[in-house]
Amino acid sequence: MEPMKLLVVDDSLIMRRSIERLLRSGRFSEIRTASNGQQAFEEFRTFRPDLITMDITMPLMDGLTAVDTILRDNPEARILVVSALADKSTAVEAIKRGALGFLLKPITPESLNEAIEDIL
Amino acid sequence: MESEILKVITQGATDYFAQVGGQPALTHPAYLENPKSTPVDDFSALIGISGRYRGCVYFTAPRALLTPLLERLGERTREDSLYADLAGEISNTIAGNARRQLGAGFMISVPILLRGRPDELQFPRGVDCFVVPIEWGGQRARLVFAIRQEEAA
């Protein structure tokens, strides 16, 4: 399995650390984090990750706007939205904007790995 | 409407602790509280509600309730910032999950982490303020909310 790069985007430090911890021992050789959409885009441009996990409700730039911004820069970017927003329309909107998956919080190791397997 | 919000938020709390904490929380009957004397524990996080609903919801918990949750999340350090962040994530998840029933018109803000009982803890006027006690791991947290549905234009 080829080592991959992951960018974890969430305004919660606990969530960033939790996702990083869950995925560090897997296929991702390098993991970076960002705490809002704006920072995520800056990281994306220099880091060029193979996968991005993206929260939605964040300060400065929300996750859906970040999905738009990143995909405008690189339409091939692979983004998994990880959010607590449980209504169907939010998930549909995320997919419509180009995210490849939507995972509802709270996450479990199993649900996270399964969602990532589906995307990669 | 209040009973629907109450039901949804209570279910969200139960589900959160079941999934992250490994066992569901026991929620006690909600009670009305004077907005000036709502409970505030060691760590609290408030979510503002806008859109078709107006108001706020906050989660407040003692350190002792949050410690085992941090452990289950793999955290070994015991910094206050992590406890506060966890309170924020819990309130965010419970409020966000409420949109499954209440719809996208139930718009939530990013969590505002509270220290003590700040002056800005203001509830919408004329809206009842409810407290839902949550028991988990032998400790008690509280969810406090004051939310009204906006009248259709």
Side-chain angles (χ1 to χ4, degrees), chain A residues 10-15 17-18 21 55 57-59 83-87 89-90 104-108 111, chain B residues 15-16 19-20 70 73-75 77 81-82 85-86 89 92-93 96-97 99-100 103-104 108-111:
Chain A
D10 202 301
D11 61 332
S12 161
L13 175 62
I14 290 276
M15 282 308 297
R17 286 164 65 129
S18 183
R21 197 176 294 116
D55 186 20
T57 308
M58 293 184 291
S83 170
L85 301 179
D87 58 300
S89 61
T90 300
L104 188 64
K105 290 180 183 176
I107 60 168
T108 62
S111 65
Chain B
D15 291 349
Y16 181 89
Q19 199 153 339
V20 177
L70 279 179
L73 289 164
E75 292 294 344
T77 50
S81 60
L82 286 177
D85 191 86
L86 179 57
E89 189 57 21
N92 173 62
T93 304
N97 283 192
R99 286 172 45 133
R100 184 181 290 128
I108 67 172
S109 73
V110 295

Side-chain angles (χ1 to χ4, degrees), chain A residues 14-54:
Chain A
I14 290 276
M15 282 308 297
R16 294 197 301 274
R17 286 164 65 129
S18 183
I19 292 174
E20 189 178 354
R21 197 176 294 116
L22 288 171
L23 298 176
R24 192 187 291 137
S25 54
R27 69 174 75 195
F28 297 101
S29 60
E30 199 178 343
I31 301 177
R32 290 192 192 176
T33 62
S35 60
N36 60 63
Q38 203 171 298
Q39 204 181 71
F41 181 57
E42 286 159 17
E43 280 291 345
F44 175 78
R45 296 191 77 178
T46 54
F47 184 47
R48 292 288 160 181
D50 297 287
L51 178 72
I52 303 163
T53 67
M54 179 74 74

Side-chain angles (χ1 to χ4, degrees), chain B residues 17-131:
Chain B
F17 284 93
Q19 199 153 339
V20 177
Q23 56 177 313
L26 177 64
T27 55
H28 293 274
Y31 59 89
L32 276 169
E33 181 66 275
N34 184 320
K36 291 178 182 166
S37 56
T38 54
V40 177
D41 224 312
D42 296 337
F43 298 95
S44 311
L46 179 141
I47 302 278
I49 308 296
S50 59
R52 284 198 292 112
Y53 299 82
R54 293 276 166 179
C56 62
V57 54
Y58 76 84
F59 173 80
T60 186
R63 186 182 293 271
L65 181 137
L66 297 171
T67 299
L69 283 175
L70 279 179
E71 284 169 4
R72 287 188 66 92
L73 289 164
E75 292 294 344
R76 295 183 194 284
T77 50
R78 296 285 176 268
E79 293 163 19
D80 279 4
S81 60
L82 286 177
Y83 283 90
D85 191 86
L86 179 57
E89 189 57 21
I90 292 171
S91 59
N92 173 62
T93 304
I94 292 171
N97 283 192
R99 286 172 45 133
R100 184 181 290 128
Q101 275 81 31
L102 302 177
F106 188 83
M107 295 170 68
I108 67 172
S109 73
V110 295
I112 300 161
L113 306 181
L114 306 177
R115 286 187 179 275
R117 187 180 187 81
D119 293 337
E120 64 262 31
L121 188 52
Q122 291 178 351
F123 298 96
R125 283 183 191 170
V127 182
D128 288 334
C129 188
F130 288 92
V131 179

